[in-house]
Amino acid sequence: MTGQTRAVNDFVVKFANVNGSGSASANGLFVKAILRMGVAVAARNIFPSNIQGLPTWYEIRVSGHGWLGRRGGVDLMVALNPQTWDRDVAEIDAGGYLFYDSTKPMPASKFRDDITVVGIPLTALCNAAYAEPSKRKVMKNIIGLGALTFLLGIEQDVVEALLAEEYASKPAMIPANIEALHIGFNHAKHDLTPLGLQLKRTDAVGDRIFVDGNTAAALGAVYGGATVCAWYPITPSTSLAEAFTDYCKKLRHDSETKEARYAIVQAEDEIASIGMVVGAGWNGARAFTCTSGPGVSLMQEFIGLSYFAEIPAVIFDVQRGGPSTGMPTRTQQSDILSAAYASHGDTKHVLLLPEGPGECFEMGAQAFDLADRLQTMVFVMLDLDMGMNEWLVEPFRWDDSRSLDHGKIMTAEMLEAGADFGRYKDVDGDGIPFRTLPATHPSRGAYFTRGTSRDPYARYSEEGAVYVDNMERLLRKFETARTLVPAPILRKAPKQTSYGVIYYGSTSPAMDEALAGLETRGLNVDALRIRAFPFPGEVFDFIAHHELVFVVEQNRDAQLRTLLINEGGVDPARLVKVLNYDGSPITARFIQAELARGMGAVDANAAGEMAQ
């Protein structure tokens, strides 16, 4: 038999449950207890798109080193779903552990010789303690949590304190939950021995917060001055609009009159929602919608209007598996091309690519400055992994002296002084014209907003030269955007290397661990994290300085690589695809194996894990 895995504050636990079984609360308590012990942890919920009955998984990465991406592999599987038993058992690394409900006997063929099996009769214990079916359903999870508390060395008083907080509004439930916790703990203490995986109190969390990207982006929108949100429910973006609503109720009511200083509309569909946003942007409000790939598909016509009529607006695109309905509760980075070139005709849109909740907050605010400054649609590209899962991040910071950048707005005083106002006139070569807001002046500064071709003074024209002049100006504006968007972040390898890797978004935490793993093997690769489109010049300089550049992304068609080739004229042979698109967040093991193989290193696990 393979020796047991032994580790302190560095392992992966995965809960295999049935959706609707009440396991989510216990899983959350498990993670929070580890955080309260000062140990860094990352949790990812993998759930189906129905309400209940289908399999769901909850994967927890415990890392004393601070790695917060998915590592790959499982050290402890808490297998509580008979439907997925074989798959769950197969996923455990050799030397790992299987925790299961042993109330009903299992044949030996259902286990593996290279793992340690830990059985505890959860159903029997629960049935003996509780007569009510509702209690049995809920308390079985808490009994299991109690057993794991003993097996992994979680401090029992920490879990008890969390239960008291969880049910502070229902104090009568606290004693029953603590009793269930003790039932599981005492049974495990009497019949079992602690696992080789242990948790020890440390101080690796500090003042960091545990928050999801949708909540962070919503707060960023508030700080960025957004006052209008029009949206239509769609997984996985709905919680962003809900969080914005909650924050507005707290922060956007007049202190004296108590009146709301915002407008939030749940529209009848995605088309109506983006229409309202564009209309609000034309009127001078900072407005946004939040959606996912299918919503972006429906919004194409209005996105084109925003681009061509030059109306500021923001779309938070929380990407999921596609095309069509695809995998609505799985993550991908598969809307990059559709967002960059959204709508028909020649269009190019600004994309912001946050790596996690911290940048969701920062870019959630910055998007509105860019939209106003550039008078265009700006996309903030989240994904389900980033948007719906809670990440451990530094507290958000805001400079109170920062003022909102509304860009080139012609005032009544400027018009009164006789300024020459041409709505689509490039006055200084940056491609960005002045605009006026409704009611700026009683008789000057008016123009006709249209989606058809026009001259610099907004007068309708179908003359080819006039059209070309306008389209060339829009390209100049896009070049200006290149100087305003967030710059890429470079990580140099310890030694000079001809290899580079480009990545973006939620791939970041797994990439950090993969790069460290490669360095321990003597494999050096420079890394560049892209944070926006259009790509700043540093991106193409990075490619030019390396013989081979891996492009790591979470979609089938290498969409970022396509953008790099199309926008920079890069030789495709120099950009190597590294693709994960099974709907699960990419793992450090997968990235490390693929890069090692691409660099010519022998690696027994070079195939990675995506297909598994």
Side-chain angles (χ1 to χ4, degrees):
M1 177 178 174
T2 303
Q4 293 181 339
T5 299
R6 297 192 172 276
V8 176
N9 294 349
D10 189 14
F11 50 86
V12 175
V13 181
K14 192 168 187 177
F15 290 83
N17 301 110
V18 176
N19 200 31
S21 64
S23 59
S25 178
N27 295 345
L29 288 167
F30 181 85
V31 169
K32 291 175 184 176
I34 298 172
L35 287 170
R36 290 283 177 92
M37 291 178 64
V39 182
V41 64
R44 286 173 170 84
N45 191 17
I46 305 168
F47 59 99
S49 56
N50 75 334
I51 297 174
Q52 63 180 23
L54 289 182
T56 181
W57 292 270
Y58 194 70
E59 184 176 294
I60 298 102
R61 175 67 191 283
V62 180
S63 176
H65 301 291
W67 305 125
L68 299 177
R70 289 185 71 221
R71 184 199 69 186
V74 175
D75 299 307
L76 168 61
M77 178 66 74
V78 181
L80 301 177
N81 186 358
Q83 293 175 279
T84 60
W85 176 274
D86 292 339
R87 170 181 172 180
D88 296 331
V89 171
E91 197 174 347
I92 305 169
D93 281 359
Y97 303 83
L98 170 67
F99 178 100
Y100 80 108
D101 182 354
S102 60
T103 300
K104 293 183 179 180
M106 297 284 287
S109 61
K110 288 293 184 180
F111 301 110
R112 285 169 43 192
D113 293 336
D114 60 347
I115 62 174
T116 299
V117 177
V118 180
I120 183 169
L122 296 176
T123 301
L125 290 171
C126 199
N127 290 347
Y130 306 102
E132 305 94 323
S134 59
K135 272 195 174 181
R136 288 177 174 178
K137 179 180 178 180
V138 175
M139 293 305 177
K140 184 166 76 170
N141 293 306
I142 303 301
I143 291 173
L145 176 61
L148 290 170
T149 298
F150 169 77
L151 292 169
L152 296 171
I154 300 174
E155 297 172 7
Q156 194 173 19
D157 59 343
V158 170
V159 185
E160 291 179 7
L162 284 167
L163 285 168
E165 294 174 17
E166 181 83 6
Y167 297 105
S169 61
K170 301 177 181 178
M173 297 183 65
I174 297 173
N177 277 273
I178 291 178
E179 177 189 40
L181 184 76
H182 289 172
I183 290 172
F185 182 91
N186 292 332
H187 183 92
K189 185 176 181 181
H190 184 268
D191 286 11
L192 303 170
T193 58
L195 304 185
L197 310 174
Q198 288 293 295
L199 289 157
K200 300 293 183 185
R201 179 171 285 277
T202 184
D203 188 22
V205 173
D207 65 348
R208 285 184 288 178
I209 59 176
F210 203 49
V211 66
D212 63 87
N214 282 353
T215 298
L219 185 59
V222 173
Y223 273 75
T227 57
V228 176
C229 169
W231 65 291
Y232 184 76
I234 183 171
T235 302
S237 72
T238 294
S239 61
L240 198 159
E242 292 171 341
F244 182 74
T245 302
D246 291 341
Y247 282 125
C248 283
K249 288 178 179 178
K250 295 177 182 177
L251 303 172
R252 281 282 167 79
H253 281 262
D254 187 276
S255 58
E256 295 182 0
T257 67
K258 308 302 180 184
E259 291 183 351
R261 300 167 62 184
Y262 58 91
I264 300 172
V265 182
Q266 182 177 324
E268 62 265 34
D269 55 32
E270 288 88 349
I271 299 172
S273 67
I274 190 63
M276 294 177 191
V277 167
V278 172
W282 173 85
N283 204 43
R286 291 194 158 190
F288 75 92
T289 189
C290 50
T291 189
S292 192
V296 173
S297 296
L298 289 169
M299 296 176 184
Q300 297 284 303
E301 182 70 21
F302 272 114
I303 293 171
L305 177 63
S306 168
Y307 175 80
F308 201 53
E310 298 179 66
I311 299 171
V314 172
I315 294 177
F316 291 95
D317 180 1
V318 190
Q319 299 166 90
R320 69 189 209 185
S324 187
T325 305
M327 296 190 293
T329 60
R330 298 292 190 266
T331 194
Q332 280 189 3
Q333 296 173 323
S334 54
D335 297 347
I336 300 300
L337 281 175
S338 63
Y341 300 131
S343 196
H344 57 273
D346 293 321
T347 57
K348 291 186 180 183
H349 303 289
V350 174
L351 312 184
L352 301 183
L353 308 171
E355 70 165 345
E359 287 191 345
C360 286
F361 171 74
E362 295 169 11
M363 294 182 182
Q366 184 182 17
F368 294 93
D369 276 353
L370 287 170
D372 272 1
R373 177 84 176 269
L374 295 164
Q375 299 173 32
T376 195
M377 183 73 70
V378 173
F379 288 82
V380 185
M381 307 297 291
L382 292 76
D383 58 42
L384 185 145
D385 179 31
M386 186 191 314
M388 294 192 71
N389 288 318
E390 293 176 307
W391 292 35
L392 190 62
V393 297
E394 295 295 329
F396 305 149
R397 290 177 173 81
W398 185 261
D399 182 359
D400 288 330
S401 66
R402 175 175 169 180
S403 59
L404 304 182
D405 182 356
H406 292 290
K408 294 179 180 178
I409 296 179
M410 189 159 286
T411 65
E413 291 75 18
M414 294 167 67
L415 292 168
E416 194 66 36
D420 178 28
F421 174 63
R423 175 61 185 95
Y424 301 107
K425 182 180 179 182
D426 187 357
V427 296
D428 54 14
D430 66 359
I432 306 171
F434 272 89
R435 61 177 173 139
T436 57
L437 300 179
T440 294
H441 191 281
S443 61
R444 300 175 185 175
Y447 65 94
F448 194 89
T449 304
R450 60 170 78 243
T452 49
S453 181
R454 69 275 156 161
D455 70 9
Y457 291 91
R459 296 174 299 211
Y460 177 72
S461 172
E462 291 188 14
E463 292 183 21
V466 171
Y467 174 80
V468 169
D469 180 68
N470 189 56
M471 295 298 285
E472 291 294 324
R473 180 183 58 78
L474 289 171
L475 275 183
R476 289 197 300 276
K477 184 166 73 168
F478 202 66
E479 285 301 309
T480 299
R482 195 185 309 277
T483 68
L484 300 176
V485 297
I489 294 179
L490 173 66
R491 170 177 169 166
K492 293 285 290 182
K495 296 181 180 179
Q496 188 170 349
T497 176
S498 60
Y499 293 104
V501 61
I502 286 174
Y503 62 103
Y504 63 103
S506 63
T507 301
S508 183
M511 179 63 73
D512 290 340
E513 183 175 2
L515 291 172
L518 289 168
E519 288 168 9
T520 62
R521 299 170 55 183
L523 299 174
N524 292 286
V525 55
D526 294 329
L528 189 75
R529 178 167 68 87
I530 291 178
R531 299 199 294 162
F533 174 77
F535 305 123
E538 300 98 305
V539 174
F540 299 110
D541 290 342
F542 179 85
I543 295 172
H545 283 89
H546 295 87
E547 293 180 11
L548 206 62
V549 176
F550 302 97
V551 183
V552 181
E553 46 188 319
Q554 300 183 64
N555 58 69
R556 185 197 68 179
D557 293 341
Q559 295 185 23
L560 179 67
R561 178 178 178 271
T562 299
L563 266 184
L564 289 167
I565 293 168
N566 190 51
E567 296 294 321
V570 181
D571 179 2
R574 299 182 62 195
L575 299 181
V576 180
K577 306 174 187 177
V578 178
L579 307 174
N580 175 83
Y581 51 91
D582 64 0
S584 299
I586 198 167
T587 70
R589 285 183 178 178
F590 174 80
I591 296 172
Q592 183 175 333
E594 292 299 301
L595 266 59
R597 180 169 60 176
M599 297 167 72
V602 177
D603 194 320
N605 299 314
E609 298 187 337
M610 188 188 73
Q612 298 175 15

